[in-house]
Amino acid sequence: MLSLFTLSGLLCAQGLDTELDRKATELLQKMTIAEKIGQLSQVNGEYGQITDGMRIRVREGKIGSVLNEVDTKTINELQRIAVEESRLGIPLIFARDVIHGFKTIFPIPLGQAATWNPGLMEKAARVAAVEAASVGLRWTFAPMIDISRDPRWGRIAESLGEDPYLTSELGVAMARGFQEDNLANKGAIAACAKHFVGYGAAEGGRDYNSTNIPENELYNTYFPPFKACVDAGVATFMPSFNDVNGAPASGNAWLFRKVLRQDWGFGGFVVSDWESIRQLEVHGVAAGQEGAAQQAIMAGIDMEMASGAYAAYLQKLVESGAVPESVINEAVRNILRIKFQLGLFENPYTNPSDFPALLSPEHLAIAEEAAMQSCVLLKNEKAALPLPEGRFKKLAVIGPLADDPYEQLGTWIFDGDPQHTVTPLAALDNALQGQAETHFVKALETTRSYDQAAFPEALQAAREADAVILFLGEESILSGEAHCRAELGLPGAQLELLKAVAQTGRPVISIIMAGRPLALGEALEYSDALIVAWHPGTMGGPAIARLLLGLDAPSGKLPVTFPATSGQIPIYYNHKPTGKPATEESYVHIDDIPVRAPQTSIGNTSYYLDAGYKPLFPFGFGLSYTRFEYSNLQAATPMINSGDTLVVSVELANTGDFEAEEVAQLYIRDLVSSIVRPVRELKAFQRVRLKPGESRKLTFNLPVEQLAYYYPGTGWKVEPGQFRLWIGGDSNAELNTTFEVR
Ligand code: BGC
């Protein structure tokens, strides 16, 4: 596939005849080759300092962008040097990983994805953008839209889960939130769709590892969120660290010139990942840094982050004819267009007082709402939750994450400050004033501790309490970049703590804060109720307290399958059917195999002897304090033609006694197709709030093109024939109907 692509002819395809392009071209014509290469270089900031070297390089036009500088005075001074002292006065663009908030920290992206609420995520991204812009940042390296089917991979925390459709919807919402409809708006910042592509498919869930992704999967599973972000106007792209079928993304012309620019019409610019151009040599596809620079620029990587291969070698490569100057011109134009769009030429400086305050009450309210909607209730027995109002006097609050302002913020929080965090303990104390008291025992120093010295005190607190709330999980540093785990159990002696507490016979409510799905089987067994709260951010405490006290009902739904054990990975809902799918009848547990049973291939199906074939919880799963019932599913258009829209409706009723929100999910399956298609695919969802006893007819409109899939070598097509369609509260929904595409 890669070898089929040649570079010729594609570069000119990007030459957009717009006003922006005219401005960029005009400026380009005045630039020396050194100044052009300068625009392609992004360097790390010096943390509130400006060394002489930096000053000189900016003045000489040898730097196009700075990342990781967040001190406004320094940003403005660097900008002043660029704008007033450099020959052409081209402004710098300041970038930062604003991944789930700047100062106001929202739940980790995987947690936000559990809200299944694009509107709310757009608002969260908007807050992050405004706060970041208020110090002078105009570019974030988000959203991360790598399909993540492996919870061992630490960066799953940063992803939006396993599903292409959900990731597309939520990734686009984030991009829109960052960029608004006009990059020049005050508080708008450029977004970056990353990491193109397949980073989440790293072998064995080990970060940076190789990926082998067939064309079919690339197009149907990994590309869609990126294509959706291009269509939504995302300003920048970043390659992944991994090699994709042997070609490292940072030197992959097929990905960046053919797919991204030619096929999808991307008009923004591409920034490498941190030193990923330098790493082409380490991958072993370039003999040295010169070769790495050549490969990357020819592949369409416009700007180099952190390493200096472009700065050191591009001029020489142009002079020797190894890289045509037109290639450099194109990259510079791509970058200048975005700088013009951001209004940096007109408004290069930042005055923080032009912006709303950081951590304003409005920002914190959105963070609390996001944290609340991200919480997924996985178990609730013996009416453990919500805590019965007025009928408890003492709560034992136990565990390493109950009152840790830092750890609840999660990975990638360069600018988040734990001093603003409200922990669950603080929030409960605040909410319960005068009505009940909490007794807090940390019990374990960290989530990884084995020292059980404080267990007796915790157990004493549990015995004296009406209920126990245990805060367990993973510290922030156990997920995120390069922090992968082979086993997904609760680290340290946390399970022992839970078991001991459960022995007291008090109601046990476990709140799990973590950056990934954990194998929670035993934790569930010993808990009466269990909520996955991810790393919920600054306002995680009040959000969790609201749910515990029944001021609102949990409404989060899993954006990723929860495996029963790491040995089941990969396990995801939209898998293919195989010729021998596992069934209840065919499954034999390892302990039930008769001694010396003869080998046979008859009646066998696809499963593990020791771990079955079902995950612990399916994608889309999440309980509420109320009951939701689905009925009367109807396809108003049981036969559709190309160009039509499928219209389906379902009745959703809140049959419990708690006002709550439900995420209704619509899945389809192409029953007979030319290539094997997934057993189910999410195609639409709606978040609805219903009062007790209330019911509502929900209508879904699905343009027939949404049923298309990519057929290798041929392209996208909607195949005529029967489809099955399910609507329900998770990916195991049973209520279904069929329709036909003619
Ligand atoms: C990560 C990127 C990030 C960059 C800059 C890299 O290590 O892979 O996602 O944007 O660092 O911090």
Side-chain angles (χ1 to χ4, degrees), residues 67-68 97 141 155 158 194-195 199 238 241 273-274 305 412 414 481:
L67 81 156
N68 294 333
D97 290 280
F141 305 122
R155 296 195 83 170
E158 227 185 303
K194 74 185 190 186
H195 307 83
Y199 190 29
M238 186 189 288
F241 280 126
D273 202 345
W274 184 275
M305 181 193 288
W412 285 112
F414 290 155
E481 185 170 345

Side-chain angles (χ1 to χ4, degrees), residues 466-484:
D466 299 294
V468 187
I469 326 269
L470 264 169
F471 288 86
L472 308 172
E474 283 182 338
E475 298 145 64
S476 295
I477 196 63
L478 299 188
S479 60
E481 185 170 345
H483 288 76
C484 307

